Amino acid sequence: MSTSMQVNTREALRALAHPLRMKILFQLETDGHGRAADLAQTLGEPANSVSFHLRTLAKAGLVVEAPELARDKRDRVWRAAAETYNVAPGTPGMDVLVRGYVEWFRSALNQRAREPDQARTKIRFAQVALTTNEARELFAELDAVVERFSERAAAAARTTPREAREIHNVVTGVGPSALPQDDKPAAS
């Protein structure tokens, strides 16, 4: 398995945009490999749905078969094609992936407004007067914290696989509060 994969096709971006597919990828990274039925049981999803999503991930090149782990020729065992998936800014079709995060963020804000004491999402807004270099440094530090937690969570999931874990979205952004208005939609 490669450590990191550059995602640069619309098909792969669409595959990554689906929440269940992200759970499947995380579970494959945690377990190292899996069959559709085993993943379905672990994730609490129907086996036919997991099988469909595995095939979609495979078509996009995000998972690969591991025939050396199969019990026989009909047995399909899968593993993640990489430990991490990177999407370069400006990749055609990126709006599909971004849209999911925007919708999640909107839902999180609405949920916090309706039920502030029971919200499971933490959101912090801040405005800070920074130089360009300070803004870069801030983002680098935030990025390093997210990466450290991601690596720690993956390691913990491997050592205690039955401990309940839930995929959490983490959105970090640092930029000028006055951005130019973009009248045209992102490329799809």
Side-chain angles (χ1 to χ4, degrees):
M1 169 183 352
S2 124
T3 305
S4 183
M5 174 187 275
Q6 188 68 34
V7 176
N8 54 17
T9 66
R10 281 186 170 87
E11 185 177 47
L13 287 168
R14 278 193 293 274
L16 282 176
H18 195 282
L20 179 54
R21 292 182 198 137
M22 292 301 293
K23 288 179 184 178
I24 291 169
L25 285 171
F26 179 78
Q27 199 62 48
L28 286 173
E29 182 192 342
T30 300
D31 297 344
H33 64 276
R35 293 169 180 80
D38 299 331
L39 290 164
Q41 184 176 14
T42 300
L43 298 173
E45 297 287 339
N48 62 341
S49 175
V50 171
S51 183
F52 168 79
H53 289 295
L54 279 165
R55 288 191 308 274
T56 301
L57 289 165
K59 284 180 191 172
L62 302 173
V63 300
V64 295
E65 283 195 66
E68 69 279 6
L69 299 171
R71 293 178 280 224
D72 57 41
K73 291 184 181 197
R74 294 181 320 154
D75 189 28
R76 294 183 88 175
V77 181
W78 300 92
R79 70 173 51 154
E83 290 177 13
T84 60
Y85 302 91
N86 300 310
V87 181
T91 299
M94 191 170 179
D95 62 313
V96 172
L97 187 61
V98 171
R99 191 177 311 127
Y101 284 103
V102 170
E103 288 305 316
W104 169 83
F105 195 68
R106 182 177 292 124
S107 294
L109 287 172
N110 288 336
Q111 189 241 354
R112 285 184 57 78
R114 286 190 311 271
E115 308 166 27
D117 295 337
Q118 297 175 10
R120 295 175 52 214
T121 303
K122 305 296 180 209
I123 298 172
R124 181 172 192 270
F125 291 101
Q127 290 188 317
V128 182
L130 302 170
T131 66
T132 300
N133 286 339
E134 288 170 334
R136 285 185 187 124
E137 182 181 347
L138 173 59
F139 184 78
E141 286 187 31
L142 292 170
D143 197 37
V145 168
V146 173
E147 187 62 29
R148 189 174 70 241
F149 268 81
S150 179
E151 289 171 2
R152 187 180 350 170
R158 284 189 287 275
T159 57
T160 55
R162 298 299 165 221
E163 186 175 16
R165 292 194 175 273
E166 183 177 17
I167 301 291
H168 282 72
N169 287 335
V170 178
V171 179
T172 54
V174 175
S177 63
L179 293 174
Q181 294 299 312
D182 186 9
D183 293 333
K184 57 184 178 183
S188 53

